[in-house]
Amino acid sequence: MTNTITTQMANAPTPDLARQMANAIRMLAVDAVEKAKSGHPGAPMGMADIAEVLWNRHLKHNPANPLWPDRDRFVLSNGHGSMLMYALLHLTGYDLPMSELKKFRQLHSKTAGHPEVGVTPGVETTTGPLGQGLANAVGMALTEKLLAAEFNREEGGVQHSIVDHFTYVFMGDGCLMEGISHEVCSLAGTLRLSKLVVFYDDNGISIDGHVEGWFTDDTPRRFEAYGWHVIADVDGHDSAAVDTAIRAAKAQAVLTDGKPTLICCKTVIGQGSPNKAGTHDVHGAALGAAEVAATRESLGWTAAPFEVPAEVAAGWSAKARGIELQRDWRTRFEAYRTLYPDAATEFERRMTGDLLPDFGSNLPELLAALAAKPEAVATRKASQNALDAFNALVPEFFGGSADLTGSNLTNFKGCIKAGRDQWGNHMSYGVREFGMAAIMNGISLHGGYIPYAGTFLTFSDYSRNAIRMAALMKLRVIHVFTHDSIGLGEDGPTHQSVEHIPSLRIIPGLDVWRPADGLETAVAWACAIERRDGPSALCLSRQNLPRQTDVDMADSIRRGGYVLSDTDDIQAIIVATGSETHLAMQAQATLASEGIATRVVSMPCTNIFDRQTAAYQELVLPLALPTVAIEAAHPDFWRKYVGRTGAVVGIASFGESAPAPDLYSHFGITAQRVVEAVRTLVQRVTHCPETWVGGDESDQRLLSKRNVSSANWSLPICITPMT
C-alpha cells in the first residue's frame, strides 16, 4: 500500500501546470456542451481541480487495460456531469479520441449524455439516476473487501495481496437528497468499507437554484452518524488541500478500525465562467458563445476548441504509469501463483466470469435429483433446495435478503453470514430494497461474485430503478422475489402482487421467471446463473404447489414456454405460469371429460419464449387455436399471446386480506373459470362465420392463408374478478 501511494504521489505537477490541467477539463466540457447545445458544464468546471488531484496523483489505473482486476474504481455518481469523465478518459490516454468528444450526446457516439458502461472504455458503471452510482460504488467497495479477505494471504509475516484497491466516488447534492444514499451509506459505515472514498461536491446549486430552500442537512454530521470518517470544509479549488484530504483518507483506510471517508469539498459550480459561475444557469445548459469566449479569457486558455497544449497533454498522460502499475501487480500475482496456484486460478476464473466446468457436467444429475422430489412444495422452498444443490458448484455466489431471509429462503446449507470485518457469502442487507438492488449491481460490475438477494415481489417497486439499470448494463444479477401473488394470503393487498410480474416482464433485457414446481425453479436458477448478458428475476410462491414436470422436460423449460400436457385433435390451448399451472391441468382434465381436447402450455419465462424462433412459437402456440391464459396477476399482459379474442383469467384489481384458498375462490382464479372460458371460445369457433367480422378483402385473404379461424371472434373475453 505504501509503495503504491509513493509511486503515484511522485506525479504531482507544479501549481501552474496543475491549474492548466484542470482548465483542460473545464474547456473540453465547455466546448463539447456548446457544440452539442446540450449538457451540463457546471459540475465538470466545478470539480476539475479535485479531478486533477485524484486522477493525476492518486488513481491506480491503466488506460491500456481498463479491465485490469486490481485497478481503482472511479464512479461519477452525478452522471449528468459526464463531460468530466470523458475529458479525464481522453486526457489520461483511454481509447476515447477527441473525435468522440466532438460527438458529445450524438447518436452512436462513445460520449453519451450520461456515462454508460460497455459503451465508453474506462466507465465503470452507468450513472444518471442520482444516488445509484454511489450505491454501485458501495457494492464495489464491499466486493473488494470480500475478495481481499478470501484471496489475500499472509505467510511468515509477508503479505501476498492481489486485491488491494480503492473505490472513489464523485457526487453532488442531488445524490445526497435521494433516499438511496441513506440506505447504502448507512450500510457502508456499518460494514466499515474503509477503501471507499467519496467526494461531495458541495456547491449549493441544483437545477431549480440554490438548494438552501430544500436541502439544509448537516451532511458531515449525518455521515459521522453513519460511522464514516469525515473530512469537512475542504476547498475544492485548492489542489494542496484536496491532496492532503486524499492522503488522510488512504492512511486511515488501512487501519484495523478504518472507515469509509467522505471528503466535503466546497466548490463553485461553473468555476471559470465569469458571469454564470455559482448560479443554476450553468448547471444544465450550454454557456453560449459569448460566455464561452469570456470563460476562455478568464482562464487564460488560448488553445482552440477541442485542442490541448502539448505540455498539458503530456502532464495528463497516464499510459506509461498505468503499464508500470499493472506490471508491478502482475509480478506480485505470479509470485502469488507460485505459492497458491489453486487460489490464483480460482481468482482468474472469478474475474473472467466463467463458471466452474463441473457446473455444466453435474447439472443434469442435480436437476434429476430436484425433479424427483414428489412432494408439493412452495417454489420459494424449491428455490432454496436449488441453492443447496448448486452452491458447491458456484462458490462465487453472494446471496442476501432485505430482512426477509426466513421468508425468502435465500440462505443455503453452509452459507456464512457476512458482516463487519467478517467474510461471508450471505448478507443481511436490512430493510433496504433499493439500496440492496443497486449494491448488487456494483458487486456484479466489480466482478468476482454472482450476487443474488430476495424480498417480497411487491417490494420490487422499491428496487425497480436499480433492476432497470441492471438490465440496461446487462449485468449478471439475480433477484429472488417471493410471495408472488394473492397466494400471500392474510397480509392483504399491500403485500399482494398484481401488476408487478407483467410490469417487470416489459423491462428490456430482464428475464422474469415464474416457475410452477421444483424442476422449473431449478432450471430457472440454472439459466440465471449461466446468463452473462443480463439480470434475472425469480418470482416464487408462498404456498405449496404440486409437481407438474419430469426431468426429461428440462431442456424444454429452458425455452421459456413449452407444451406441458397435450392430446390429439386439440381444440384450444391453456397457458399458465407458476401457482396457476396446476389449475390449468385440472381444467384440462375436466374439459377432456366433456369431449373438449386442450393443450396446456407452461410458460415460466415469457422473455425467453419470445426469443425463440417464430417456428417454435407457432409449434407451441398455434395462431389458429383459441387460447386462454391464467395467471394471478393483471390480465392485460397476456393479450400478446391470446389476442383480442382470447380469454385471460386474471386479476384487474387489488387483493384482499384472507387465507389464500379463499382469495383464489373470491377472485375467480379457478380451474372452473378456465373451463368456462375454453367452452365459450370453442363454441365461438364452432358457430362463427367464415369471414372476419369488420375486415376487408385483403384481411380475409391474409387470414385464410394462415388458417386463423379464431380471427372471426368479434369481441374479446377478459375473465376478471366478480364484483
Side-chain angles (χ1 to χ4, degrees):
M1 183 65 66
T2 302
N3 290 338
T4 299
I5 293 173
T6 301
T7 299
Q8 293 172 281
M9 287 304 301
N11 195 54
T14 65
D16 182 66
L17 179 57
R19 184 171 58 254
Q20 291 303 309
M21 290 169 69
N23 286 342
I25 297 173
R26 291 186 172 101
M27 292 313 305
L28 286 175
V30 166
D31 290 337
V33 172
E34 186 67 23
K35 187 174 188 298
K37 304 300 181 186
S38 172
H40 299 258
M45 298 173 76
M47 300 193 78
D49 299 302
I50 306 169
E52 183 276 317
V53 176
L54 175 62
W55 275 68
N56 190 46
R57 313 184 201 187
H58 292 276
L59 194 71
K60 182 173 68 171
H61 65 123
N62 181 8
N65 184 8
L67 300 180
W68 166 32
D70 201 41
R71 69 192 181 278
D72 289 339
R73 271 64 170 178
F74 174 80
V75 174
L76 183 71
S77 192
N78 48 342
H80 54 269
S82 57
M83 267 309 305
L84 173 67
M85 171 71 81
Y86 302 144
L88 287 165
L89 293 172
H90 169 76
L91 290 166
T92 55
Y94 286 79
D95 184 18
L96 192 68
M98 190 68 79
S99 59
E100 291 292 339
L101 272 62
K102 294 178 180 180
K103 295 190 291 184
F104 178 55
R105 288 187 162 223
Q106 305 308 300
L107 186 63
H108 302 316
S109 75
K110 294 182 180 180
T111 49
H114 293 81
E116 295 185 34
V117 69
V119 173
T120 312
V123 170
E124 299 284 2
T125 181
T126 299
T127 56
L130 292 176
Q132 286 202 61
L134 172 62
N136 297 162
V138 171
M140 295 174 185
L142 171 62
T143 307
E144 192 275 344
K145 187 169 184 174
L146 291 168
L147 288 172
E150 186 175 359
F151 287 97
N152 291 350
R153 301 285 190 271
E154 181 180 355
E155 188 171 323
V158 178
Q159 294 284 344
H160 301 279
S161 300
I162 60 171
V163 182
D164 184 11
H165 55 265
F166 283 80
T167 301
Y168 296 101
V169 183
F170 281 7
M171 70 172 183
D173 298 300
C175 291
L176 290 176
M177 287 184 242
E178 292 285 2
I180 192 174
S181 70
H182 171 79
E183 294 185 28
V184 301
C185 291
S186 169
L187 184 60
T190 297
L191 297 176
R192 286 206 297 229
L193 303 181
S194 63
K195 296 173 84 172
L196 173 64
V197 180
V198 178
F199 298 82
Y200 167 33
D201 181 29
D202 184 8
N203 60 34
I205 297 291
S206 68
I207 291 176
D208 281 355
H210 292 272
V211 301
E212 61 193 20
W214 50 88
F215 183 62
T216 58
D217 295 16
D218 188 335
T219 297
R221 292 183 66 184
R222 169 183 166 185
F223 275 76
E224 287 172 354
Y226 292 152
W228 285 53
H229 172 226
V230 177
I231 304 174
D233 298 320
V234 175
D235 183 348
H237 302 300
D238 183 339
S239 296
V242 173
D243 182 71
T244 298
I246 296 174
R247 286 189 286 113
K250 295 168 76 171
Q252 73 87 41
V254 299
L255 301 176
T256 304
D257 59 350
K259 304 173 181 179
T261 295
L262 177 72
I263 303 175
C264 301
C265 298
K266 293 287 186 180
T267 65
V268 177
I269 191 170
Q271 175 76 350
S273 171
N275 302 302
K276 295 187 177 183
T279 74
H280 69 280
D281 294 331
V282 75
H283 186 286
L287 297 184
E291 189 65 13
V292 170
T295 301
R296 274 186 152 74
E297 184 177 355
S298 175
L299 295 176
W301 189 260
T302 59
F306 298 105
E307 290 185 5
V308 178
E311 182 185 9
V312 175
W316 268 118
S317 180
K319 289 182 178 179
R321 190 164 67 255
I323 292 171
E324 180 185 350
L325 288 167
Q326 184 172 350
R327 185 184 297 121
D328 176 69
W329 176 83
R330 174 54 64 178
T331 299
R332 289 186 285 110
F333 185 82
E334 293 305 322
Y336 177 94
R337 189 195 303 276
T338 300
L339 295 170
Y340 316 106
D342 292 344
T345 299
E346 175 66 3
F347 179 79
E348 289 180 317
R349 182 190 70 81
R350 294 273 201 93
M351 297 308 295
T352 60
D354 296 332
L355 296 175
L356 284 172
D358 287 351
F359 181 84
S361 59
N362 289 333
L363 185 59
E365 181 181 350
L366 292 180
L367 292 179
L370 293 166
K373 296 180 180 294
E375 67 273 12
V377 64
T379 50
R380 62 171 176 159
K381 181 59 180 176
S383 170
Q384 188 177 49
N385 292 340
L387 286 171
D388 287 342
F390 289 155
N391 79 87
L393 299 177
V394 192
E396 58 266 52
F397 263 158
F398 186 80
S401 180
D403 203 47
L404 288 168
T405 301
S407 293
N408 302 146
L409 304 182
T410 56
N411 54 339
F412 54 86
K413 294 177 181 177
C415 69
I416 300 171
K417 189 172 183 178
R420 172 182 285 188
D421 305 326
Q422 171 61 51
W423 182 89
N425 52 12
H426 192 277
M427 173 167 287
S428 293
Y429 285 93
V431 188
R432 298 182 174 98
E433 293 90 353
F434 191 7
M436 176 179 73
I439 286 171
M440 285 200 292
N441 289 349
I443 294 171
S444 180
L445 285 160
H446 183 284
Y449 295 102
I450 297 177
Y452 73 89
T455 187
F456 286 5
L457 177 58
T458 192
F459 302 142
S460 66
D461 283 342
Y462 287 126
S463 306
R464 188 178 182 90
N465 202 268
I467 298 170
R468 180 179 185 272
M469 294 301 291
L472 178 62
M473 291 188 277
K474 300 182 172 73
L475 301 181
R476 182 193 264 165
V477 173
I478 305 170
H479 292 272
V480 179
F481 295 130
T482 66
H483 300 62
D484 68 349
S485 66
I486 57 172
L488 170 73
E490 291 86 346
D491 278 342
T494 61
H495 285 50
Q496 292 166 2
S497 303
V498 175
E499 75 279 21
H500 299 78
I501 292 173
S503 65
L504 287 170
R505 285 174 177 144
I506 64 174
I507 296 177
L510 175 66
D511 282 354
V512 179
W513 290 86
R514 190 167 186 252
D517 67 0
L519 178 59
E520 285 196 355
T521 304
V523 171
W525 265 110
C527 290
I529 293 166
E530 293 166 349
R531 190 181 185 206
R532 302 184 62 161
D533 62 350
S536 303
L538 278 61
C539 302
L540 309 171
S541 74
R542 179 193 186 192
Q543 71 274 32
N544 291 340
L545 305 177
R547 174 181 167 183
Q548 302 292 340
T549 59
D550 297 312
V551 69
D552 58 2
M553 296 179 178
D555 288 341
S556 296
I557 296 169
R558 283 179 171 274
R559 305 187 79 165
Y562 64 102
V563 178
L564 175 63
S565 178
D566 212 3
T567 188
D568 296 330
D569 301 320
I570 56 175
Q571 298 165 268
I573 297 173
I574 306 170
V575 183
T577 74
S579 49
E580 290 71 64
T581 304
H582 78 282
L583 299 178
M585 295 294 286
Q586 291 174 13
Q588 182 190 47
T590 299
L591 289 162
S593 69
E594 300 176 6
I596 300 175
T598 58
R599 167 184 292 177
V600 175
V601 171
S602 177
M603 198 174 291
C605 186
T606 63
N607 310 96
I608 294 179
F609 180 78
D610 289 348
R611 296 199 293 269
Q612 304 303 308
T613 64
Y616 178 79
Q617 294 178 28
E618 174 67 15
L619 186 67
V620 175
L621 292 178
L623 288 171
L625 289 173
T627 303
V628 175
I630 177 172
E631 185 174 63
H634 199 284
D636 284 4
F637 173 85
W638 289 102
R639 288 281 158 218
K640 65 186 291 185
Y641 301 107
V642 308
R644 293 189 303 115
T645 52
V648 184
V649 179
I651 304 174
S653 69
F654 293 114
E656 298 280 352
S657 177
D662 295 346
L663 292 171
Y664 270 81
S665 176
H666 173 75
F667 287 107
I669 310 298
T670 64
Q672 185 57 37
R673 293 291 293 279
V674 176
V675 169
E676 294 168 359
V678 171
R679 285 191 196 126
T680 301
L681 296 186
V682 171
Q683 289 170 1
R684 288 192 176 190
V685 172
T686 303
H687 299 100
C688 69
E690 294 298 323
T691 57
W692 173 255
V693 176
D696 60 24
E697 290 184 2
S698 62
D699 291 331
Q700 295 174 31
R701 287 195 300 271
L702 176 62
L703 292 167
S704 67
K705 290 179 181 179
R706 298 178 68 186
N707 293 319
V708 188
S709 59
S710 61
N712 296 310
W713 310 327
S714 59
L715 295 173
I717 301 172
C718 185
I719 310 297
T720 54
M722 302 295 292
T723 57

